[in-house]
Amino acid sequence: MKRLFPERPAYKKERRTVGFPILAAFLVLFLCRLLGDKLPFHLPPLVLTLILEVLVFLLPFLLYVLIKKQPNSRALRLKMPRAAHLPLLLLSLVTLFSGCMLLSILCGGTGSLGNSFTSFEDAANPDPLLMLAAVGVLAILPAIVEELFFRGLLLAEYERRGLLRALILSSLLFAFIHFDLANLPVYLFSGFLLSLVLYATDSLIATVLLHALYNTLSLLGQRYLNALYEFTGNVQLFLFIMILAFLVSALFFCRMTAKIYQSRDRREVGEPRRCVPRNVQLYTLLDAIADPCLVLVLGISIAGFVLFS
């Protein structure tokens, strides 16, 4: 038991403040989803999504940064990816798309390929202007505000005591806020992969680009992939192609990220967050989970899974 649960080390207790914007985001989205059909007015889906993205993610992020005056741009990693990162981004896009497709199939369908609050199917429209607006609101805007909130704010705040809880909590919260229990593995996988891309490139803009490309592919191609999956007479071939694409891209993605970290270690460009002892990271993770705000978030998530799934 001592090996599984080491003795709690002595470390300075940190202030729990990042839980407040997380709780605000979950509560606002939960209430909007709960009261959506009971509102006295009706908004077009694109307008509703635009308002939700701003209220749920952008507003809590801006208020937290303005009040706390942190994290700064360096902690948020607001810099452009280098040209050498382009192959990594392409590999991660194939891994993300094929992996989410396979997980979605395992979860019972292919209807959860995107990360917006409205169905991408609803955005299909022959009008090029409406389609352009759909791409902006359903693909690009969510990529920006969700990455700022999850891979920007949450990772920057939680990684102060190590990367373990930053990776775990940001991925879990990213999955929980979709209130979709059936497709929870899809969102867990995508959140974790986006976090790995962030640490490999050290660029939040890289994850924004990856997230936006993924959303755009889902928006423009989902109905065709659904039709291929549901109506083709050769589903085995479809699955074989998806599995092959995932395995090959994931293999090269892992090798490339490993080389990046090995190169950093050889140059002695270490990250203090990676050097935090494991026993410290374990207990700071438990401390973060015990945050009353996160306990309330868990309760909201369970209620959302029951009501909206």
Side-chain angles (χ1 to χ4, degrees):
M1 294 296 292
K2 289 184 179 180
R3 292 182 179 180
L4 294 176
F5 299 98
E7 183 179 353
R8 178 184 281 270
Y11 55 84
K12 184 179 180 181
K13 191 175 182 181
E14 60 184 340
R15 295 181 179 180
R16 300 173 179 175
T17 55
V18 72
F20 292 105
I22 299 171
L23 178 60
F26 272 78
L27 188 59
V28 169
L29 180 57
F30 179 82
L31 292 176
C32 290
R33 292 281 295 271
L34 186 65
L35 303 175
D37 297 334
K38 301 178 182 179
L39 295 176
F41 53 87
H42 177 73
L43 294 175
L46 291 182
V47 176
L48 178 61
T49 301
L50 175 63
I51 294 174
L52 283 176
E53 292 286 353
V54 172
L55 289 179
V56 174
F57 299 116
L58 187 58
L59 188 59
F61 168 81
L62 292 176
L63 289 176
Y64 186 83
V65 171
L66 289 174
I67 294 173
K68 294 284 295 182
K69 297 183 179 179
Q70 60 179 346
N72 54 36
S73 60
R74 182 177 179 182
L76 289 173
R77 300 175 172 88
L78 294 177
K79 58 184 179 181
M80 292 294 295
R82 295 184 286 110
H85 294 145
L86 181 58
L88 179 70
L89 291 176
L90 293 176
L91 286 171
S92 61
L93 178 61
V94 177
T95 304
L96 180 62
F97 192 84
S98 58
C100 287
M101 170 65 72
L102 291 171
L103 284 173
S104 186
I105 293 172
L106 289 175
C107 292
T110 58
S112 179
L113 295 178
N115 297 322
S116 68
F117 304 115
T118 59
S119 172
F120 281 157
E121 289 289 342
D122 296 338
N125 194 297
D127 190 331
L129 292 179
L130 289 178
M131 198 62 207
L132 185 62
V135 170
V137 175
L138 298 180
I140 298 176
L141 177 63
I144 296 173
V145 296
E146 290 177 15
E147 291 306 309
L148 279 173
F149 190 84
F150 290 102
R151 256 66 62 183
L153 174 63
L154 267 61
L155 277 177
E157 291 296 295
Y158 279 133
E159 71 182 3
R160 296 178 189 276
R161 297 289 177 87
L163 299 183
L164 177 64
R165 66 172 183 175
L167 285 170
I168 292 176
L169 291 180
S170 64
S171 301
L172 284 174
L173 292 169
F174 178 74
F176 285 172
I177 204 167
H178 291 87
F179 297 131
D180 188 354
L181 184 60
N183 291 292
L184 191 64
V186 179
Y187 296 115
L188 279 172
F189 170 74
S190 58
F192 186 73
L193 183 62
L194 285 164
S195 298
L196 292 181
V197 172
L198 175 70
Y199 284 123
T201 61
D202 200 34
S203 169
L204 184 67
I205 297 177
T207 65
V208 170
L209 293 173
L210 175 60
H211 198 155
L213 286 172
Y214 169 74
N215 284 353
T216 303
L217 285 176
S218 302
L219 173 61
L220 300 178
Q222 180 180 351
R223 58 177 179 175
Y224 303 109
L225 288 171
N226 286 346
L228 178 62
Y229 172 66
E230 294 174 0
F231 300 113
T232 184
N234 197 352
V235 179
Q236 292 81 3
L237 178 59
F238 173 80
L239 291 175
F240 174 78
I241 294 173
M242 287 291 106
I243 293 173
L244 182 63
F246 172 74
L247 292 177
V248 173
S249 60
L251 174 63
F252 282 98
F253 170 78
C254 292
R255 289 188 62 183
M256 191 168 293
T257 52
K259 287 183 178 180
I260 290 174
Y261 277 108
Q262 290 172 1
S263 175
R264 290 176 183 173
D265 292 338
R266 285 194 299 267
R267 299 195 311 269
E268 297 182 353
V269 187
E271 297 180 19
R273 297 176 292 269
R274 295 174 58 197
C275 302
V276 177
R278 293 182 180 179
N279 57 340
V280 174
Q281 293 197 51
L282 172 63
Y283 282 100
T284 54
L285 171 62
L286 296 177
D287 291 342
I289 295 175
D291 182 354
C293 287
L294 287 196
V295 174
L296 290 174
V297 164
L298 178 60
I300 294 173
S301 301
I302 293 173
F305 292 150
V306 174
L307 294 174
F308 308 135
S309 296

